[in-house]
Structure formats: structure tokens, C-alpha cells
């Protein structure tokens, strides 16, 4: 559930606000409203943090020798110097690398000229002989006029390199020198000096790298220092950003606002009484940006590692669908992974992780609990469909085949194929996917009806619900089999097709009239008329949302095909001792890659069905942000 929040405002003496904030931080219950801090102290803290973080980023890329003694403690001054030295070394290294690139480019440019020494040309100019370097295409050499004094240096199949001899320091280009001849700029240093500079720069880079590497042992200390700076930045942001009276006197006041969970309100009240703070408590308004705190039992909380990873948080006025998210995501995961053998590997990994945690005296994390649940779900779906490591039906023992559910099992495909009026295993799997869609989206609309039960808007939600039910049969007819699920079908005297169309039309009508209800039916209808295109597209969206669940079958089928292909590639190597290692590597790599692809598919498809299709029918936008109280713990 989403924990109820109260908005609180605290007023204290301005002279005591720093001590008051320390006390408030020790309580760790108030999520403060956003504040903009300022001042030299805050700027310096941010600068120190940026330097520390950048230094850590550089040091983290260094591979230390095994057994290196890491240092978790050092003075602040020492850590500042380390950070400064690491960044200074990095900047020097960048400058040297740029210098090497420039010098290398110069050498490549002058490579065909041999040794070039600008100093020699300068000495000749003192004697009144002025030389310039030129290059010209082979076929244009003969076009150089007699008035141009040249001295050929060398030639290749494309270019001729020559010196232009001039009598004056301006070295003006002779009129009879062809346009194709272009002057070659002299380098800043001789080619010999450029080579020496490159070598010296490389040696200096090695020295800088060695100096930087020697500081990598301080990463733990820098991490602690970084966390401490974050705490100080957070504190100083609040301290300098608090509102208060402009006048300075012993009675001047400062104040701050935030949000507190109702179950922590007594803690704050007691502290306010002890510290002589004035406190105001009220209900959050619609304009307030209220944080979301979720509170669920341990089982439902297994979904938190996933939602934290995705950064999905319901808005304070939205729904907490953690339980439904966990239920359907578990089913989706099992169907997408689809292979009971993969499920056994995931379950084994979770069990091993739990045993290691217990052996180390650590608490078993929710992530391992979630992995165990997902592994078992995959094993379960593998049992249902008789899918084990991509093995063919002939290779699977009979007892495993008998565990499967016939209408959905690959072991009994032949029993359902070719029978008139009977769906195949493939079609049954599709129907199962669409049934999941119907179930999950029905839950969404029932929750919406319950939320608006005291308003006529609930009729609009009910309309969306029966529209969904009617559209379910339309999907079965259009996607699965139009002959089995025909619109003229009659079951127990009920014209199923006619009823489904009637539900769609009736649902559309109710939704059109009441979806935007806010005290006036006419205003609600006018709003629908105003957005008629979106309203009409809504019917199509219901169809596409149901069909969207077929991805569970399609992605699972793709994974099964890949695992089967891996087995076929490795099969010929089985029993041949010389190829045993290749056989094992191919199986491990192939199935390992398939499992990685399945993980990506789960994130793309399994998560999407919860956060898009299901949530859109709920009217959720996941616009919330987590409750993060002002506390001793760093809120990163």
C-alpha cells in the first residue's frame, strides 16, 4: 500500500537552525521539499565532491595486483591532495597524448622529405639564401618556368619534392610557378627533435600512469570521503536554502516544510516539543509534490529490486500495484524464459546465493528471493509445456511428458493437430496469452471502478470493462481462428458473437458518456466529443492491448527455437572424445547467450505489459518519486 503522508512545517530560531537540522536529520523521518542552497561553503563542498568523484572514476579503471593492501582511512587533506594529483596527472597525460598526436602527424607529413631541420634553412637565410619546401604532381613539373630557381629533393610515382631558391626574405612565389605546386610548411622542430619529443612524452606518460596507479589503493578511503561530502552537501543545501526572516536578531525565525508518514508523526511531534520547534501539520494539497512510500509484506516486497532498478514509482495519488506487478511479472517471466531447464539453473543459482549469504551471516536479500520465485515459475511453465533445455520430444522422459498440460504441451501436439473444430496447441497457447490479458486488464478496470464507486465516473470505468470483455472474443475470432470463434456462434443458446459486439458497443457508449464525469454528464459528453478522435482510437487500443500479450508466446517460441538450434549444432559432437571440449563450450555458450537474450526480453516485454498496457488501463503514469527522508544515510 501507499503510506499516507502529512505535510509538516517546522519553525525554529534562526540562530539555532543548524543544531535543529542536525537533530532533524538524526530523526530521519521528514522528506523535505526541494530547496536551492547557496553560498561559498556549499560551492566548495560541491567542488571537492566533483574532484573526488572524478578521481575515483580514473582510479577505478586501474587494475591492481592481487593482494594489494587497500587503504580505507586517510586524512581529509591527504585525500584532497590525492584527488588533485590524480586529476592533474590525467590532464598532463591528455596534453602529452595530444602533443604526441601532433608530432606524429608532423612526422607523417614530412616522411617523404627525409630529415628536415628548420635550423639549417635558417642558417642559410643568414647567408642570403632563402629556401622553401614545395611539392608538385609529376606531370606538372615540366610546367615550371625558367625564372623559378628549383632544386629537386626526391620524387615518387605521384609527386616531386623540390626546394625553391629565392633571393629575398619574402620568398615571393614566382609567377611562372604552376598553381599545382604547393608550399610545404616547415615544422616547429626538426624531424629528429620531433622523434625525441615523442619518446620523452611517452616516458612521461608512463611515469604519470605509475604515479596514478600508486594512489588506487586509496579508493575505499575516497569512497568514504565522497559519501561524507554528499552528506555535508545535502545538509548545507538545506541549511543555506531554508527560508527565514531577513532581519538578524536573537528572535529571528527560520522555517522548513516537508512530508512525514503518518506512522512516524509522533516521533516528529515529540522531537518538536523537546526542541521548542513550532510545528504545523496538514493534509497535502493537490498542488503538493508528495513523495511515495510503499509498505507491503515481505513476499510482495520481492518486487522492489526490480522496480528500484527500473526507477518506477507510482504517484502518491495513484495505485500501489506491487502485488499485482509481482504476480503477473512472475507468470510473464516464466513464459518468456519458457524452458524448465533454464528455470532449474536460475533456481539453483538462487539457492546457492542464499546458502552463501547464510554462511556469511548476512541477511538474504529480496533480489535472491525474487530470483528463486522466477526460477520456480520458469520450472513450472517448462513442466506445463514440456520444454527442457531445448530437447526434442523423443529425448524427454515419459514421466516429464506426463507432468505437462496436454492442451499446452509440445509433447501432445499431434493429438490436437488436424481435428475439425478443435484448437491446436499453438492456438491454445495464444488463447492462454489473451486470457492473461483479459484477467490482468479486468483487474485494472475493477480497481478503477472501486476508486470511483461514489461517482458516476464508475459507469465509464464499467463501460471500459465490458468493452474489454466484448473485444476479447473479437480477438479470438480475428487472431486465433475465425471458424471456431465465429460471430454467428451459439453456445448454450447464447449468440456469443452478437453478445461480444453488443458489449463493445454498450461499453463504448458508457465510456463515451461518463469517462470524463466531474459533476456534470453534459460536460463529460462534450469533453468526449471534443476528443472524438482519441475516443474512437480507444476502441482500437483495447484490441491492440489484448493482442499485445501474444508477445509472451512469440518471444518464448523464439527462445525455444534458439535452444533447439544450439542442441542441433552440438549434437554431432556428442560421443566424440576429441570434440568433447568443443561440445561443452558450444552448449554453455549457446544456452548462456539464449538466457541473456531471455533476460533482455523479460525487461522489454514482461515489464512493458505491467508498466504500459496494465498501467494505461489503470490510468497510471508512474509519476511518483520515492520517499527519501532527510537522514544520516546519503540519498544518492
Amino acid at each position: 500500500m501507499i503510506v499516507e503522508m502529512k505535510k509538516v512545517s517546522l519553525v525554529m530560531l534562526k540562530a539555532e537552525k543548524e543544531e535543529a537540522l542536525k537533530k532533524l536529520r538524526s530523526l530521519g523521518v521528514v522528506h523535505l521539499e526541494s530547496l536551492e542552497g547557496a553560498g561559498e561553503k556549499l560551492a566548495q563542498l560541491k567542488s571537492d565532491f566533483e574532484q573526488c568523484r572524478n578521481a575515483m572514476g580514473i582510479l577505478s579503471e586501474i587494475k591492481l595486483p592481487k593482494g594489494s593492501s587497500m587503504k580505507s582511512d586517510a586524512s581529509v587533506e591527504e585525500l584532497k591532495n590525492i584527488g588533485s594529483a590524480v586529476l592533474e596527472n590525467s590532464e598532463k597525460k591528455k596534453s602529452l597524448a595530444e602533443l604526441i598526436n601532433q608530432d606524429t602527424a608532423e612526422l607523417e607529413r614530412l616522411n617523404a622529405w627525409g630529415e628536415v631541420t628548420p635550423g639549417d634553412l635558417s642558417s642559410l637565410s643568414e647567408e642570403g639564401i632563402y629556401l622553401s619546401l614545395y611539392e608538385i604532381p609529376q606531370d606538372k613539373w615540366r610546367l615550371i618556368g625558367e625564372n623559378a630557381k628549383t632544386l629537386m629533393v626526391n620524387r615518387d610515382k605521384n609527386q616531386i619534392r623540390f626546394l625553391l631558391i629565392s633571393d629575398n626574405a619574402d620568398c615571393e612565389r614566382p609567377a611562372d610557378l604552376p598553381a599545382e605546386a604547393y608550399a610545404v610548411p616547415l615544422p616547429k622542430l626538426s624531424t629528429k627533435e620531433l622523434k625525441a619529443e615523442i619518446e620523452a612524452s611517452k616516458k612521461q606518460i608512463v611515469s604519470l600512469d605509475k604515479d596514478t596507479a600508486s594512489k588506487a589503493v586509496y579508493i575505499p578511503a575516497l569512497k568514504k570521503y565522497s559519501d561524507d561530502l554528499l552528506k555535508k552537501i545535502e545538509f548545507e543545501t538545506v541549511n543555506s536554502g531554508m527560508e527565514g526572516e531577513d532581519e538578524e536578531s536573537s528572535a529571528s525565525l527560520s522555517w522548513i516544510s516537508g512530508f512525514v508518514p503518518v506512522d512516524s508523526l509522533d516521533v516528529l511531534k515529540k522531537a518538536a516539543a523537546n526542541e521548542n520547534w513550532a510545528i504545523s501539520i496538514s493534509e497535502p494539497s493537490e498542488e503538493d509534490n508528495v513523495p511515495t512510500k510503499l509498505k507491503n509484506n515481505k513476499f510482495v516486497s520481492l518486487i522492489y529490486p526490480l522496480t528500484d532498478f527500473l526507477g518506477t514509482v507510482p504517484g502518491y495519488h495513484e495505485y500501489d500495484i506491487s502485488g499485482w506487478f509481482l504476480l503477473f511479472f512472475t507468470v510473464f517471466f516464466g513464459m518468456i524464459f519458457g524452458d524448465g531447464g533454464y528455470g532449474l539453473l536460475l533456481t539453483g543459482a538462487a539457492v546457492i546465493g542464499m546458502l552463501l549469504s547464510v554462511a556469511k551471516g548476512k541477511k538474504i536479500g529480496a533480489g535472491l528471493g525474487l530470483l528463486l520465485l522466477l526460477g520456480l515459475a520458469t520450472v513450472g511453465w517448462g513442466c506445463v509445456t514440456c520444454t527442457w533445455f531445448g530437447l526434442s520430444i523423443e529425448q524427454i522422459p515419459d514421466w516429464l511428458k506426463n507432468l505437462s498440460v496436454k492442451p499446452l504441451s509440445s509433447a501432445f501436439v499431434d493429438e490436437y493437430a488436424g481435428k475439425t473444430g478443435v484448437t491446436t496447441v499453438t492456438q491454445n497457447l495464444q488463447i492462454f496469452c489473451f486470457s492473461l490479458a483479459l484477467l490482468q486488464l479486468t483487474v485494472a478496470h475493477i480497481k478503477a471502478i472501486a476508486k470511483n464507486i461514489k461517482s458516476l465516473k464508475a459507469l465509464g470505468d464499467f463501460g471500459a470493462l465490458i468493452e474489454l470483455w466484448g473485444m476479447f472474443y473479437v480477438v479470438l475470432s480475428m487472431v486465433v481462428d475465425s471458424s471456431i470463434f465465429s460471430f454467428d456462434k451459439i453456445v448454450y443458446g447464447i449468440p456469443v458473437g452478437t453478445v461480444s459486439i453488443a458489449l463493445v458497443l454498450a461499453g463504448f457508449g458508457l465510456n463515451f458518456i461518463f469517462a470524463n464525469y466531474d459533476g456534470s454528464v453534459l460536460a463529460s459528453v462534450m469533453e468526449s466529443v471534443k476528443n472524438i478522435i482519441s475516443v474512437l482510437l480507444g476502441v482500437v487500443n483495447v484490441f491492440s492491448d489484448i493482442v499485445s500479450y501474444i508477445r509472451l508466446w512469440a518471444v518464448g517460441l523464439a527462445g525455444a527455437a534458439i535452444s533447439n538450434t544450439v542442441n542441433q549444432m552440438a549434437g554431432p559432437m556428442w560421443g566424440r572424445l576429441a570434440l568433447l571440449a568443443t561440445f561443452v563450450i558450444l552448449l554453455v555458450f549457446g544456452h548462456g547467450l539464449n538466457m541473456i537474450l531471455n533476460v533482455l526480453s523479460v525487461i522489454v516485454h514482461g515489464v512493458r505489459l505491467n508498466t504500459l498496457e496494465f498501467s494505461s488501463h489503470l490510468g497510471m503514469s508512474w509519476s511518483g518519486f520515492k520517499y527519501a527522508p532527510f537522514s544520516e544515510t546519503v540519498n544518492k
Side-chain angles (χ1 to χ4, degrees):
M1 68 173 184
I2 295 177
V3 177
E4 183 185 352
M5 290 282 177
K6 296 291 184 182
K7 185 172 184 178
V8 297
S9 294
L10 298 170
V11 183
M12 58 205 69
L13 289 172
K14 197 170 187 178
E16 298 175 357
K17 72 170 184 175
E18 193 162 328
E19 288 302 315
L21 287 177
K22 289 178 181 178
K23 177 64 179 177
L24 190 64
R25 186 171 65 173
S26 69
L27 295 177
V29 297
V30 183
H31 180 110
L32 298 176
E33 289 187 320
S34 181
L35 294 170
E36 291 291 334
E40 290 183 12
K41 184 177 180 180
L42 180 60
Q44 184 59 53
L45 286 169
K46 288 182 176 180
S47 175
D48 291 344
F49 173 73
E50 193 69 20
Q51 175 180 279
C52 181
R53 186 182 65 174
N54 291 339
M56 286 173 61
I58 294 170
L59 295 175
S60 64
E61 296 177 1
I62 296 172
K63 195 170 184 179
L64 288 171
K66 287 185 178 180
S68 297
S69 179
M70 305 302 284
K71 298 185 179 181
S72 57
D73 289 306
S75 68
V76 171
E77 195 61 36
E78 188 176 5
L79 292 172
K80 281 186 177 182
N81 291 336
I82 289 170
S84 177
V86 168
L87 296 182
E88 189 176 336
N89 286 350
S90 178
E91 288 302 314
K92 286 181 180 177
K93 185 177 173 181
K94 287 178 184 177
S95 298
L96 290 168
E98 188 177 343
L99 180 61
I100 289 172
N101 288 335
Q102 292 173 356
D103 288 351
T104 302
E106 282 289 85
L107 287 176
E108 290 175 354
R109 182 174 68 85
L110 299 166
N111 184 51
W113 285 85
E115 290 290 335
V116 177
T117 307
D120 291 346
L121 299 182
S122 179
S123 298
L124 288 172
S125 66
E126 293 175 2
E127 302 295 328
I129 303 172
Y130 302 97
L131 302 178
S132 302
L133 281 62
Y134 275 84
E135 291 186 7
I136 191 170
Q138 281 269 16
D139 57 349
K140 303 297 180 182
W141 171 255
R142 58 184 178 79
L143 299 178
I144 299 177
E146 295 181 358
N147 294 328
K149 298 178 182 179
T150 62
L151 177 64
M152 183 187 294
V153 175
N154 61 43
R155 67 195 303 166
D156 54 36
K157 62 180 181 179
N158 296 318
Q159 299 284 330
I160 293 178
R161 281 158 282 279
F162 64 95
L163 295 174
L164 179 66
I165 305 170
S166 178
D167 297 330
N168 57 74
D170 293 335
C171 296
E172 291 183 4
R173 184 186 182 98
D176 53 357
L177 191 64
E180 290 81 0
Y182 59 92
V184 177
L186 287 173
K188 61 175 182 177
L189 300 172
S190 69
T191 50
K192 185 176 181 180
E193 289 170 326
L194 287 172
K195 292 175 184 176
E197 189 171 67
I198 289 173
E199 289 304 312
S201 297
K202 287 181 177 178
K203 288 180 180 178
Q204 197 171 349
I205 286 176
V206 171
S207 177
L208 290 172
D209 283 342
K210 187 176 180 181
D211 182 61
T212 299
S214 69
K215 295 172 173 56
V217 294
Y218 287 94
I219 288 178
L222 287 167
K223 176 68 172 62
K224 286 172 65 176
Y225 177 49
S226 170
D227 289 345
D228 185 56
L229 284 171
L230 271 179
K231 287 166 64 176
K232 289 180 178 178
I233 288 170
E234 185 180 35
F235 184 88
E236 188 56 32
T237 299
V238 176
N239 185 34
S240 60
M242 281 179 66
E243 293 185 70
E245 295 178 322
D246 293 333
E247 58 199 52
E248 295 293 336
S249 70
S250 59
S252 295
L253 300 176
S254 286
W255 52 87
I256 195 168
S257 298
F259 302 93
V260 180
V262 289
D263 53 6
S264 301
L265 204 52
D266 289 340
V267 174
L268 183 62
K269 285 180 180 178
K270 186 177 179 180
N274 292 337
E275 301 296 326
N276 294 318
W277 302 334
I279 182 170
S280 167
I281 303 170
S282 62
E283 293 293 333
S285 68
E286 288 293 329
E287 291 74 30
D288 285 325
N289 205 8
V290 187
T292 302
K293 180 182 180 182
L294 300 178
K295 186 178 182 180
N296 289 292
N297 58 48
K298 287 186 178 180
F299 180 74
V300 174
S301 299
L302 292 178
I303 197 63
Y304 289 168
L306 176 64
T307 53
D308 288 345
F309 170 75
L310 297 171
T312 52
V313 182
Y316 179 69
H317 298 290
E318 294 183 338
Y319 303 93
D320 175 18
I321 60 168
S322 299
W324 294 111
F325 198 127
L326 178 64
L327 171 63
F328 286 107
F329 178 75
T330 301
V331 176
F332 298 159
F333 186 99
M335 293 178 68
I336 289 173
F337 256 72
D339 193 301
Y342 291 173
L344 289 174
L345 293 177
L346 295 175
T347 303
V351 170
I352 291 171
M354 289 176 172
L355 292 175
L356 290 174
S357 295
V358 171
K360 294 177 181 178
K362 295 181 178 179
K363 185 179 178 181
I364 296 175
L368 288 173
L370 179 62
L371 180 61
L372 178 62
L373 178 63
L374 299 177
L376 292 173
T378 308
V379 172
W381 187 251
C383 288
V384 168
T385 58
C386 198
T387 309
W388 300 92
F389 288 116
L391 297 173
S392 65
I393 294 303
E394 294 75 19
Q395 295 172 308
I396 298 175
D398 289 339
W399 65 273
L400 276 179
K401 295 178 186 177
N402 294 330
L403 284 177
S404 63
V405 178
K406 281 190 177 184
L408 302 175
S409 173
S410 58
F412 300 97
V413 170
D414 294 338
E415 290 189 21
Y416 291 86
K419 292 184 178 180
T420 305
V422 178
T423 52
T424 64
V425 168
T426 295
Q427 290 172 330
N428 290 335
L429 287 167
Q430 293 174 351
I431 294 169
F432 184 81
C433 291
F434 298 145
S435 298
L436 275 177
L438 181 65
L439 175 60
Q440 187 176 31
L441 301 183
T442 294
V443 168
H445 290 296
I446 290 175
K447 288 179 75 70
I449 292 170
K451 182 180 180 181
N452 299 310
I453 194 65
K454 295 181 180 180
S455 166
L456 288 179
K457 191 173 183 180
L459 289 175
D461 297 318
F462 179 71
L465 175 61
I466 62 175
E467 184 181 346
L468 171 73
W469 290 345
M471 194 61 74
F472 174 71
Y473 189 80
V474 174
V475 170
L476 295 183
S477 178
M478 297 183 69
V479 178
V480 180
D481 193 309
S482 60
S483 61
I484 296 176
F485 301 101
S486 63
F487 286 104
D488 57 1
K489 189 178 185 69
I490 297 177
V491 180
Y492 298 113
I494 301 173
V496 182
T498 303
V499 170
S500 69
I501 298 299
L503 287 174
V504 172
L505 293 175
F508 175 78
L510 286 171
N511 192 255
F512 185 87
I513 296 169
F514 298 105
N516 302 298
Y517 180 80
D518 190 17
S520 170
V521 174
L522 180 60
S524 178
V525 172
M526 292 306 296
E527 187 66 27
S528 295
V529 171
K530 194 184 343 180
N531 299 292
I532 188 64
I533 301 299
S534 298
V535 173
L536 291 173
L537 286 176
V539 181
V540 180
N541 287 339
V542 174
F543 178 88
S544 63
D545 285 347
I546 297 174
V547 173
S548 183
Y549 282 70
I550 203 172
R551 69 184 65 236
L552 298 171
W553 164 74
V555 177
L557 185 65
I562 292 174
S563 60
N564 182 257
T565 301
V566 171
N567 291 342
Q568 289 180 358
M569 292 171 63
M573 302 176 192
W574 173 249
R576 299 168 67 177
L577 187 61
L579 297 174
L580 182 60
T582 306
F583 172 79
V584 173
I585 291 172
L586 183 58
L587 281 181
V588 171
F589 175 78
H591 286 292
L593 179 61
N594 194 24
M595 290 184 73
I596 292 172
L597 292 174
N598 282 340
V599 171
L600 295 176
S601 296
V602 166
I603 293 174
V604 173
H605 302 291
V607 170
R608 173 208 160 101
L609 293 174
N610 279 295
T611 56
L612 187 59
E613 277 80 359
F614 182 48
S615 298
S616 65
H617 283 254
L618 272 170
M620 284 184 64
S621 60
W622 298 96
S623 58
F625 57 97
K626 284 184 73 172
Y627 164 73
F630 184 52
S631 67
E632 297 290 349
T633 305
V634 180
N635 293 314
K636 296 183 182 179

